[in-house]
Amino acid sequence: MFCSDFNRNHNIAPNVDVTYTEFLQIGAVDVGLMAQNTLTAAESLGLGGVFIGGIRLNIEDVTALLDLPEYVVPLTGLCIGYPADEKPQLKPRLPKKVVMHNNHYNDFNMEDIEAYDKEMKKYYENRPVVAPFTVKKVKGWSEHIEEHLARSIQPNMLEYLNKQGYAKK
């Protein structure tokens, strides 16, 4: 489990107000870097891993389970283990021109997204179904994004973050 942790910093410098939203942003960047470096280290040892971003879906339960104090928020989990002998087909990625920008933000072309949707549908059609999953979900990336955004809304997240001492300012 990787957490944004300003509890220690708050105890070291109690006169600094760590309730600003900026501190959560700093913690999130630190967590992302540490989590990725941990996975890279595991992979260098022949292990594999998968990030668990759904921690936020039960964030209060996870906080209680881990007995996290104020100014500590769990952001992602990481499961590490030995990968299967059979390597899966590489998942297609969005075209660079959609995700990389040079000196300013570029609007993307919907035709690029539609082409990527078709590519993802082919990928999912050819991907084997692994137990315990019995249904093959074949959809484009855009459909996945829409479903993901809709189910990701956690209406009590600000209240939770405030309770943990974050995002008050």
Side-chain angles (χ1 to χ4, degrees), residues 43-85:
E43 288 173 340
S44 76
L45 299 172
L47 297 165
V50 62
F51 289 108
I52 308 300
I55 296 301
R56 72 187 187 293
L57 301 176
N58 296 297
I59 198 164
E60 294 203 38
D61 293 338
V62 172
T63 299
L65 178 70
L66 299 176
D67 195 25
L68 299 178
E70 187 175 34
Y71 308 119
V72 179
V73 173
L75 295 179
T76 192
L78 175 60
C79 298
I80 297 176
Y82 292 96
D85 291 333

Side-chain angles (χ1 to χ4, degrees), residues 42-155:
E43 288 173 340
S44 76
L45 299 172
L47 297 165
V50 62
F51 289 108
I52 308 300
I55 296 301
R56 72 187 187 293
L57 301 176
N58 296 297
I59 198 164
E60 294 203 38
D61 293 338
V62 172
T63 299
L65 178 70
L66 299 176
D67 195 25
L68 299 178
E70 187 175 34
Y71 308 119
V72 179
V73 173
L75 295 179
T76 192
L78 175 60
C79 298
I80 297 176
Y82 292 96
D85 291 333
E86 185 180 316
K87 293 196 178 219
Q89 174 189 357
L90 285 178
K91 188 175 183 180
R93 299 294 177 202
L94 277 166
K96 284 183 183 178
K97 62 183 173 180
V98 174
V99 296
M100 293 185 70
H101 308 275
N102 191 11
N103 295 326
H104 62 87
Y105 190 90
N106 299 313
D107 289 335
F108 63 88
N109 183 333
M110 277 307 292
E111 290 173 2
D112 292 330
I113 301 299
E114 290 164 2
Y116 183 65
D117 280 337
K118 287 178 185 173
E119 190 177 2
M120 286 302 296
K121 284 180 182 178
K122 277 187 199 173
Y123 168 79
Y124 284 121
E125 285 170 358
N126 296 320
R127 188 171 154 182
V129 177
V130 180
F133 306 104
T134 57
V135 177
K136 185 182 277 198
K137 295 180 181 176
V138 177
K139 57 186 169 187
W141 181 73
S142 297
E143 292 169 281
H144 169 76
I145 291 299
E146 186 173 348
E147 289 175 12
H148 179 72
L149 290 174
R151 75 173 182 265
S152 293
I153 297 168
Q154 298 298 311

